[in-house]
Structure formats: structure tokens, C-alpha cells
Amino acid sequence: MQRFTGGLLAVAVALSLTACSSKETDVPMPDKNPHELEIHGDVRVDNYYWMNDRDDPDVIAWLEAQNDYTARIMKPMAGLQESLFEELKARIPQEDVSAPYRDGDWYYYHRYEAGHEYPVYCRKFRSLDAEEEILLDANVLAGDHDYFALRNFSVSPNHRYAAYAIDTQGRRIYTVYILDLQTGELLDDRIEAATSNFEWANDSRTLFFTRQDPGTLRWDRVFRYTLGADAGTLVYEETDVTNSLWVEKSLSQQTLFLVSAATLSTEVRHIPADAPETGPAVFVPRQTGHEHVVS
């Protein structure tokens, strides 16, 4: 660890010295284009508001210029960057297995294979010595995507289905898929434009999931979705922009919690996991300065 830490320090110093000693003068700077924003009678001028548009050719051109500038500045360090990257890779086991956990008659775990970047989700029936059943290989799903993230691989209480969320854009806006573990086939069900936060109700046919504000990406709504339905049903919307909202399940697996949290306050709603269509009830009304956890 001392050699590794020292190596990182040396790299940081070298990078700093390289940047400071650079004679580059054509540093790309964004144009100032004043834009007035008014709220509650207060006017604020944002000179760079135009950069909000991700598809604007001028924004893309500026980002590309930034990338080119960075490449020129860092060129003298290219060899060191590569050696550091290889050292980091060498310290990560190519083959690894998570600690298995038991759920009913099944042991679940995921593992990594040499030469592959993503996990393989597996289970064994009743014994860790039993034959392995591969449920999902994320490496196959990743394919040739430039970006790929799979989150929250979650098996239903009856062990028949697995839900998981995939993002291929890098915006943390996911599509939730449902896999039939008996047939190995995907169901037609899709939950679009969701977060990676969801929980199964105990009927193994109902999912509670969270959606985000499309602009700020704040988690603000919880929906209920039943397999085979056309769309989800809104259960609760958090309108206070200082709060984020998510769903979780109790340790007993008997209750679903809708947690709304701000910096200094918490409010938890609860729904019986055996009766997912029940309306959410407030545990303790929110109050500034009162944070709590219900488990």
C-alpha cells in the first residue's frame, strides 16, 4: 500500500507540474451569452445558460475543443498514465465471487470472469455444492455499447422472476426489465425512464419503482406496476424540491417504505407488502431537525 500510495502522490505532483509548466495559450473558453432568469422577483444573469442544451452544435464543439486541449496538455504523461492504469488493473482480481446469501431454498451470488468487465448473476438450490444456475450474464447484455450500467438485480419473493435496470447513456435514466427465471426469457414488460430503485411486493407480480424529474434528475415519484399492465400507477409524488424520494423494503419483508428525505428531515410512508394496492400511510410527519429511519 505504501508503494501504491506513493505512486499516486508522485503522479499527482507530476500532473500538477506538467499543467503549470504548459506553454499552451489557446485554452478554449466558452462564449458569454447573458441570459436572465427571474424567480420570486429576483433576476439572475447566467452567462453560460446556452450550455444547457446538450444537442447544441456549439456546445458539442466546445466540449470537443476541451478534450483536444486536455489531450495536448497530458501528452507528456501518456506513458505514466498507461503504467498507472495497468498497475491498478493488476491489483483487481480478474476472477472474483461475491459472498452468497440465502433466500428461501436458494443461494444467490454473482461472480466475475477473467477478461470480462461485468458480473454474472447465479444461484444454487439448497446447497452451495449444488449445480450452478446462471441467471444473467451482464457481459452479453453490454455488447458493444460505449456505456453500460446494470443495477439492482432483484429476484421476486417466489423466485420466479428477476427485475434489473439498464442504462446505456450514462444519464442514470434506466429501463427496468423483467426476466422469467424458469424459461430464461424476458417478459414483454418494460418500465421506461425510471431510476434503478425498485422493490417487489410479496405477490411477486407487483413492483414499486421510482422516477426522477427529467430536468434535475431528483427522485420525486413512486409508482406501482403490475406485470402485464400497460403503465404504472402513481402512488406518491414528493413536491418539495429539497426532498428526494425512494422506496425500500423492511428487514422483515412485510412492509414497503416510501422514504422522503431532505438535509435535516425525514418522512416515511408505509404500505403492507402483502397488500400492495393499499394507500401509503405516514409513519411520523416531517419536521425540520427530525431525521429518522424505519427498519
Side-chain angles (χ1 to χ4, degrees):
M1 280 300 297
Q2 288 183 342
R3 184 172 69 87
F4 184 53
T5 304
L8 287 177
L9 180 59
V11 169
V13 171
L15 292 177
S16 177
L17 291 174
T18 299
C20 292
S21 63
S22 171
K23 297 185 185 239
E24 287 278 354
T25 57
D26 56 339
V27 181
M29 299 297 292
D31 294 331
K32 291 184 178 181
N33 186 7
H35 178 84
E36 291 188 353
L37 299 169
E38 182 176 353
I39 185 170
H40 305 308
D42 180 70
V43 177
R44 176 171 59 88
V45 177
D46 185 349
N47 290 323
Y48 306 105
Y49 186 83
W50 63 273
M51 300 180 74
N52 277 326
D53 187 354
R54 294 168 175 266
D55 298 321
D56 186 337
D58 291 336
V59 173
I60 296 173
W62 182 78
L63 291 173
E64 290 175 344
Q66 282 283 333
N67 288 338
D68 291 342
Y69 173 76
T70 301
R72 293 197 305 272
I73 290 294
M74 300 298 293
K75 187 175 181 179
M77 308 299 294
L80 183 56
Q81 290 180 61
E82 181 64 24
S83 63
L84 179 61
F85 177 66
E86 292 300 326
E87 181 179 352
L88 287 169
K89 283 203 308 182
R91 293 172 180 272
I92 300 174
Q94 289 292 301
E95 297 183 359
D96 201 7
V97 182
S98 69
Y101 69 92
R102 185 171 182 174
D103 185 359
D105 287 334
W106 294 93
Y107 287 91
Y108 291 91
Y109 59 96
H110 61 268
R111 56 180 176 80
Y112 291 87
E113 298 176 342
H116 294 284
E117 186 174 355
Y118 300 100
V120 179
Y121 295 90
C122 310
R123 68 180 178 183
K124 293 183 178 182
F125 188 61
R126 290 186 177 174
S127 170
L128 291 175
D129 296 324
E131 183 179 357
E132 178 182 83
E133 178 183 352
I134 295 178
L135 305 178
L136 187 71
D137 187 342
N139 298 284
V140 175
L141 297 180
D144 56 359
H145 288 293
D146 292 333
Y147 177 88
F148 178 84
L150 189 152
R151 299 284 184 268
N152 197 14
F153 184 85
S154 178
V155 178
S156 61
N158 66 357
H159 307 278
R160 171 69 185 269
Y161 304 106
Y164 56 90
I166 288 180
D167 170 22
T168 58
Q169 301 299 316
R171 285 277 287 160
R172 290 177 291 176
I173 299 176
Y174 295 83
T175 298
V176 180
Y177 298 88
I178 311 295
L179 177 66
D180 188 329
L181 298 180
Q182 288 188 4
T183 65
E185 300 294 329
L186 281 176
L187 303 186
D188 292 333
D189 301 80
R190 298 282 191 281
I191 300 174
E192 305 282 354
T195 73
S196 59
N197 171 239
F198 52 83
E199 293 283 357
W200 286 98
N202 287 348
D203 62 1
S204 295
R205 296 194 59 81
T206 304
L207 271 176
F208 285 79
F209 69 94
T210 309
R211 279 201 168 112
Q212 61 278 82
D213 180 280
T216 65
L217 300 184
R218 177 179 69 93
W219 295 10
D220 63 348
R221 289 159 292 157
V222 169
F223 291 80
R224 182 182 64 247
Y225 178 81
T226 303
L227 298 187
D230 292 332
T233 300
L234 180 64
V235 176
Y236 176 69
E237 180 176 5
E238 178 52 70
T239 58
D240 187 337
V241 296
T242 65
N243 283 59
S244 293
L245 177 70
W246 67 89
V247 59
E248 59 187 44
K249 206 169 186 181
S250 66
L251 298 176
S252 67
Q253 304 297 299
Q254 296 305 304
T255 308
L256 292 153
F257 295 129
L258 280 58
V259 183
S260 181
T263 303
L264 295 174
S265 67
T266 312
E267 188 171 69
V268 180
R269 287 167 171 77
H270 52 96
I271 298 173
D274 289 330
E277 294 190 0
T278 304
V282 176
F283 180 71
V284 176
R286 71 187 69 182
Q287 181 180 353
T288 301
H290 181 203
E291 299 175 85
H292 58 276
V293 174
V294 186
S295 61

